[in-house]
Amino acid sequence: MTKRIFYKAFLAILLFSVACVDPYLATFTGDTTIFVVDGRLTNDPSVNYVNITESIPSGESNTTFLGVGGATVNVLVDESFTIPLNEVRAGRYEFPNGFSGEVGKNYKLEFTTTDGRFFESKTEHMLETPEIEKIYDTFDGEAVKTVTETSPGFNVYIDVKDPEEEKNFYMWDWRYYENQLWCKTCTDEFYYNDASTDSLGECREVRFRRGKWDYNCNSPCWQVYSSEKFNIMNDDFSNGQLVKDRLVASIPLYTYDGALMEVRQYSVSEDAYDYLRLVISQGQETGGLADTPPATLEGNIVSSNPDQPVTGYFIVTSVTKALHWMDKRSVNGDFIARGLFVDGRVAQPEPTGNDTTRPPLAPCLAVENRTNITPTGWLFGG
């Protein structure tokens, strides 16, 4: 994957004062290889991870991003004991099953690459996060706006009581679940799942059959969507008050069926907030630092070699969650649902014939954007 990347933070300098920007800016030359760290540790085991990526210049204005595999990655707890992380794929490291952080404790990330380069984060303190008081949605015919289009959807809001006499910095993200009925697509082929195939089945060419054919799932299945942008706030104007109508998500009208929203709220440190604010100012469009890394920013990670550039952040924070069932009853039939296919097309089942064993059903594969595990809070028939 290559992306255009800029090595001077002109936009950040324009938007913020020099005093605010200085701790986070670093000028890297266009031929510099940069390590990028995107890590999070919370009191919820399902949210924790560390991604380590190396950005390698591959031309005048392009950069190739490669996951850093084989590293020894640990988290030090209260300077007293060490938690080793496990590599699940190149550059992706996860904590032991069931491990979670604790409010009030201190954590430091350390890792060593296969060629002996050593990196560590500053020590981060896990803060307590207030509960989300209320979560609700409103339908809007123009809820979802992109550069090229505006489409109908749901704006999701929360209320939260900000603690008094504290300086608080918040971050939000979310996961959204839709019931998925179609688990396999074959192009110019038919799907087979029988004694002649393995458990996943396979697409096979069939003479004189052309088209894209879709096959139903053989068990309950859910499509999973996640937030793609950073959403942060400080409490300068709400200290000790109820924060009302905070917009946390705008969800397209995928289907008219009920769906489940999970919103996650974090209390981050002031340093983490300032870093993320500068990431946003540089045009960061994703909720993962390693996807389009802000190469001009220095986070809380340092290298034992002062000449080795490194960016990114190891965020330590507690998390609170709120579940919300979106029944979609407020939507009338004047709006077209986009469906759950990426290209927005309508499902096309395999044509039926004399063979009553066809079409077969396909398994729901647990992948990054799909799950066969019933989401907590899902209402069957809702």
Side-chain angles (χ1 to χ4, degrees):
M1 174 177 65
T2 61
K3 293 178 184 243
R4 184 172 297 273
I5 193 163
F6 297 93
Y7 291 92
K8 293 184 182 293
F10 293 130
L11 181 57
I13 294 172
L14 288 173
L15 292 179
F16 300 100
S17 68
V18 173
C20 174
V21 173
D22 277 348
Y24 305 96
L25 288 183
T27 300
F28 303 143
T29 62
D31 59 355
T32 304
T33 295
I34 306 168
F35 272 77
V36 185
V37 178
D38 173 16
R40 189 173 301 180
L41 173 60
T42 74
N43 56 342
D44 182 341
S46 69
V47 183
N48 305 331
Y49 66 91
V50 172
N51 291 328
I52 306 173
T53 307
E54 195 172 17
S55 68
I56 304 171
S58 57
E60 184 176 343
S61 60
N62 292 324
T63 299
T64 299
F65 300 96
L66 298 176
V68 177
T72 300
V73 182
N74 297 295
V75 166
L76 190 62
V77 184
D78 280 340
E79 301 289 339
S80 58
F81 63 95
T82 299
I83 304 297
L85 275 67
N86 307 306
E87 184 175 6
V88 295
R89 61 178 181 271
R92 175 78 175 194
Y93 298 85
E94 296 184 353
F95 291 80
N97 287 337
F99 176 80
S100 61
E102 296 181 38
V103 172
K105 289 194 174 184
N106 300 309
Y107 300 90
K108 177 193 284 188
L109 172 69
E110 300 178 339
F111 66 92
T112 304
T113 62
T114 55
D115 58 3
R117 286 178 285 186
F118 177 76
F119 300 81
E120 64 180 350
S121 74
K122 62 177 287 190
T123 298
E124 297 287 338
H125 184 73
M126 184 171 290
L127 301 169
E128 186 172 6
T129 300
E131 297 290 334
I132 295 173
E133 302 260 328
K134 183 181 178 182
I135 179 171
Y136 44 100
D137 70 80
T138 61
F139 178 76
D140 185 342
E142 299 182 347
V144 182
K145 297 179 176 65
T146 67
V147 176
T148 58
E149 65 175 345
T150 298
S151 58
F154 301 86
N155 289 320
V156 182
Y157 302 90
I158 62 166
D159 295 348
V160 58
K161 180 65 168 64
D162 183 67
E164 296 183 27
E165 301 178 357
E166 294 180 19
K167 186 67 175 174
N168 298 103
F169 303 88
Y170 297 104
M171 179 176 72
W172 294 276
D173 62 19
W174 50 264
R175 289 172 70 84
Y176 176 72
Y177 301 88
E178 286 266 5
N179 187 27
Q180 175 61 269
L181 301 177
W182 306 96
C183 282
K184 185 68 177 180
T185 299
C186 295
T187 301
D188 296 336
E189 296 177 316
F190 279 0
Y191 175 69
Y192 289 82
N193 190 353
D194 52 33
S196 66
T197 70
D198 61 22
S199 59
L200 300 182
E202 63 182 25
C203 295
R204 294 176 184 170
E205 184 177 357
V206 178
R207 293 185 65 187
F208 310 120
R209 289 293 187 178
R210 293 293 178 263
K212 186 171 285 189
W213 313 113
D214 301 302
Y215 296 84
N216 284 124
C217 306
N218 64 6
S219 64
C221 191
W222 291 266
Q223 199 72 19
V224 185
Y225 300 90
S226 301
S227 47
E228 297 180 343
K229 295 185 178 182
F230 289 114
N231 188 344
I232 60 174
M233 187 195 83
N234 65 45
D235 66 354
D236 284 348
F237 302 104
S238 59
N239 187 33
Q241 302 176 24
L242 181 68
V243 179
K244 286 184 63 64
D245 303 330
R246 175 70 189 189
L247 178 65
V248 292
S250 294
I251 306 296
L253 177 63
Y254 289 110
T255 72
Y256 277 89
D257 299 326
L260 180 68
M261 166 66 74
E262 177 190 80
V263 174
R264 299 181 294 207
Q265 177 169 274
Y266 308 87
S267 283
V268 300
S269 67
E270 184 171 4
D271 282 348
Y273 172 83
D274 287 340
Y275 180 85
L276 293 173
R277 184 173 62 159
L278 289 176
V279 170
I280 294 169
S281 80
Q282 291 196 21
Q284 170 68 289
E285 290 297 325
T286 70
L289 296 176
D291 186 49
T292 49
T296 56
L297 300 182
E298 288 183 320
N300 64 346
I301 312 293
V302 297
S303 170
S304 59
N305 177 4
D307 296 326
Q308 171 62 66
V310 56
T311 184
Y313 217 96
F314 176 55
I315 296 176
V316 173
T317 168
S318 62
V319 58
T320 58
K321 298 180 179 181
L323 296 174
H324 174 60
W325 181 256
M326 300 173 64
D327 60 33
K328 305 183 185 178
R329 295 175 187 173
S330 59
V331 187
N332 62 48
D334 295 337
F335 298 94
I336 299 175
R338 70 169 59 182
L340 300 180
F341 290 110
V342 175
D343 55 8
R345 64 186 178 83
V346 177
Q348 181 63 51
E350 175 190 311
T352 57
N354 294 328
D355 187 349
T356 58
T357 66
R358 301 202 59 81
L361 302 177
C364 176
L365 302 181
V367 292
E368 184 177 2
N369 61 347
R370 188 171 291 183
T371 182
N372 52 19
I373 299 174
T374 305
T376 300
W378 184 264
L379 300 180
F380 283 98

